[in-house]
Amino acid sequence: MVFFVLMAITVFFTFTIGFTVIFFAIRYRKGSSADRSHAFSSNLKLEIAWMGIPLVIVLGIFAIGTQVFVEMFIPPKDATPIYVVGKQWMWKVQHPQGRSEINEIHLPLGKPVKLIMTSQDVIHSFYIPAFRMKQDVLPGRLTSEWFLPDRVGRYHLFCAEYCGTEHSRMGGWAVVMEPADFDKWLKGSPDGSASGSSDAMPSMASSGAKLFEKYHCTGCHGANSEFKAPKLDGVYGGQVPIMAANGKDVIFVDADDRYIRDSVLLPKSQVVAGFEPVMPSYKDVIKEEELLQIMEYIKSIGRKEGVR
Ligand code: HEC
Ligand SMILES: [Cu+2]
């Protein structure tokens, strides 16, 4: 839409200006007998028009452009999350249902997908040219991107940020499948060999629940913990009261992916009001993939409506 509007405007002005230039060049060529008296020195109405009309056109382009931009950045509520971790030199992909893969990302046809991405070392960039999508993947931060696969097929996946000697080999395939095939694929064994029989593959949330115990989060956050720490049920998707930097005021922040992540890696940065800042940081303790699983677990016990 934006493309065609821009195209139409460009074509219109190219021809209008082009023809006018040629017309004047011929009419007022040296030696022609055209009337050159009464030349205008200024014309206020004309000048206002040639500022006003382009202003309206350009603001119009801005409006439709903004709309597309906003659509691009706000994923639909029902988008399936898929987690991506970039690492020198491979892409690690985890599906919430449990299956994980390397340098391949399987996608269901016709369902919006939201990638939640981070890097375990340097900056990478997740790039699938056929989808017109490219998003930087940064260490220590979550980035996301959504799209709607609308054609079955295999598409090239690249890393589009120079990230070391084997950067050029850091790539693979995005495979868009019919939803039924995709569901079958999801049930295959986690290491990629499709066995088809095992229902036992743990979902990311249940792996996360195990890690939640393994890292002794339960010691403080567990249901029957003596320790004064907030219960995490219903936290995700809501709002959390946080102590402001001045130590007096309370501000509310959205408990989204980023918040959960920061709470685990930088617990002192956002302390829940009414609690002591005693939670240890798990930076460099928990691996990125594990953290994503813990996040899925905390999401699974969060509010069901969800935030984006
Ligand atoms: C020593 C006790 C302790 C341990 C162990 C601990 N936490 Fe915490 N956690 C707290 C306390 C106290 C708070 C509230 C103060 C704050 O925000 O720092 C908190 C806050 C949080 C929050 C924000 C909760 C909210 O209501 O907004 C999350 C999420 C969280 N912890 C996750 C974890 C995870 C995941 C682990 C394990 C990897 C963990 N915690 C281990 C004590 C602990
Ligand atoms: Cu890379």
Side-chain angles (χ1 to χ4, degrees), residues 257-275:
D257 295 352
R258 189 200 53 77
Y259 171 76
I260 302 295
R261 185 191 164 82
D262 287 354
S263 291
V264 180
L265 298 183
L266 307 162
K268 306 241 172 339
S269 70
Q270 288 179 312
V271 176
V272 183
F275 291 92

Side-chain angles (χ1 to χ4, degrees), residues 34-62:
D35 180 9
R36 289 182 172 80
S37 57
H38 310 298
F40 290 108
S41 68
S42 72
N43 182 334
L44 190 61
K45 276 189 196 146
L46 188 64
E47 283 171 22
I48 289 175
W50 80 45
M51 287 191 269
I53 295 171
L55 182 70
V56 172
I57 294 176
V58 170
L59 286 179
I61 297 174
F62 172 70

